[in-house]
Amino acid sequence: DAGVIQSPRHEVTEMGQEVTLRCKPISGHNSLFWYRQTMMRGLELLIYFNNNVPIDDSGMPEDRFSAKMPNASFSTLKIQPSEPRDSAVYFCASRQHIGELFFGEGSRLTVL
Amino acid sequence: RKEVEQDPGPFNVPEGATVAFNCTYSNSASQSFFWYRQDCRKEPKLLMSVYSSGNEDGRFTAQLNRASQYISLLIRDSKLSDSATYLCVVNKGNQGGKLIFGQGTELSVKP
């Protein structure tokens, strides 16, 4: 079975550009999470969805960040405009109810 | 105060050593607890859940102390392959779905 699939795996962009990260959760999972990981701050929860509905977005840093889940098999995290301090690894994860949380391989973002 | 705090590490131990990691959490309403393992430049993966009565999986033992809001992970007879970062994970109070990760403790097992 395919795990959580994220794209792109790596992205290098310039400050001010729009960045879109994509995630396909494991089929049948009803919760989806977006995390950001940096050396300084560790893994931070940005937002999570239950049944495609955003439940808690209190971790989203600011208005430049937005996330959507138009259906059960797809989610996006968008940063517009991007800034150097957004450089991090962005992980998407999914789970079924309160089961094990499965992570994608991450999207490594570098903003120059 | 952070919601989930862990020993800062890194822990450098010889093969065969026993090593213990500690984690404290701030929300007394938390119900679910886990240890995840993350290898360098990889995604975190579930190591084990932590149950109220404590639980063991081979060389790994996890314990929970609700009164002190404290979780521990004990690794016995450590192997080179145990070298990784260990992340303590707690659900946020009565928000069952919201999982908060600690900063992680790095373990390096040397020959």
Side-chain angles (χ1 to χ4, degrees), chain A residues 54-76:
Chain A
I55 302 301
D56 189 328
D57 65 355
S58 58
M60 296 286 262
E62 48 199 271
D63 292 345
R64 297 184 298 106
F65 285 68
S66 63
K68 294 182 180 179
M69 192 165 185
N71 57 61
S73 59
F74 184 66
S75 177
T76 59

Side-chain angles (χ1 to χ4, degrees), chain B residues 1 10 16 31 42 51 59-60 62 67-68 70 75 79 83 87 93 99 101 107:
Chain B
R1 180 185 173 191
Q31 297 293 323
K42 297 287 189 180
Y51 302 120
R59 298 181 293 108
F60 298 83
S68 302
Y70 170 97
I75 305 175
K79 312 290 185 190
S83 297
L87 301 158
L99 295 178
F101 282 70
L107 172 65

Side-chain angles (χ1 to χ4, degrees), chain A residues 11 13-20 78-82 109:
Chain A
E11 177 145 351
T13 190
E14 293 186 343
M15 183 173 63
Q17 296 299 305
E18 178 178 294
V19 172
T20 299
K78 188 173 291 188
I79 308 172
Q80 167 63 21
S82 57
L109 173 66

Side-chain angles (χ1 to χ4, degrees), chain A residues 33 35 37-43 45 48 56 58 91 95 98 100-105 108, chain B residues 2 32 34 36 38 41-46 87 89 92 95-103:
Chain A
F33 300 73
Y35 287 88
Q37 187 172 40
T38 61
M39 287 291 291
M40 291 297 294
R41 301 173 69 91
L43 260 172
L45 177 62
Y48 79 99
D56 189 328
S58 58
F91 285 105
R95 71 194 300 206
I98 58 171
E100 180 180 347
L101 188 62
F102 290 87
F103 283 79
E105 294 183 305
R108 185 173 296 274
Chain B
K2 290 182 180 178
S32 304
F34 310 89
Y36 274 68
Q38 185 173 24
R41 300 182 77 84
K42 297 287 189 180
E43 71 275 22
K45 292 183 180 178
L46 178 67
L87 301 158
V89 187
K92 186 174 175 66
Q95 297 180 43
K98 188 169 183 175
L99 295 178
I100 305 299
F101 282 70
Q103 187 84 357

